[in-house]
Amino acid sequence: MAKEEGIKVDGVVTEVLPNAMFRVKMPNESLVTGHISGKMRQHNIKILLGDTVELEFSPYDLTKGRITRRR
């Protein structure tokens, strides 16, 4: 059985939380929590307030996502 693909959506960082977590506003005006992916930590990519980021969601939980790219 193949691994299910994540849902990718762009959003804007509205709040910086502790432990590399962020509150992100989605295009449909909902707020979700996002954490930085391992590759972004490894390459020391910083995310600031107001940045546009790409989030990847699991099909099972659409309230938490992984930030995979800073745009």
Side-chain angles (χ1 to χ4, degrees):
M1 185 174 203
K3 183 177 176 184
E4 293 188 26
E5 290 293 320
I7 301 164
K8 294 187 178 184
V9 182
D10 288 344
V12 178
V13 175
T14 59
E15 186 179 351
V16 179
L17 303 171
N19 297 330
M21 306 232 351
F22 299 90
R23 184 99 44 215
V24 180
K25 188 173 191 177
M26 305 307 292
N28 61 358
E29 302 299 321
S30 65
L31 288 174
V32 296
T33 305
H35 66 275
I36 299 178
S37 69
K39 284 286 187 182
M40 290 186 72
R41 284 185 190 225
Q42 182 181 11
H43 294 292
N44 207 17
I45 296 173
K46 302 294 182 194
I47 297 177
L48 303 172
L49 190 67
D51 283 346
T52 302
V53 293
E54 180 180 284
L55 279 103
E56 184 176 309
F57 292 100
S58 165
Y60 303 108
D61 186 9
L62 299 176
T63 61
K64 297 177 189 140
R66 179 180 17 201
I67 298 174
T68 56
R69 171 180 271 176
R70 178 182 175 207
R71 296 196 182 248

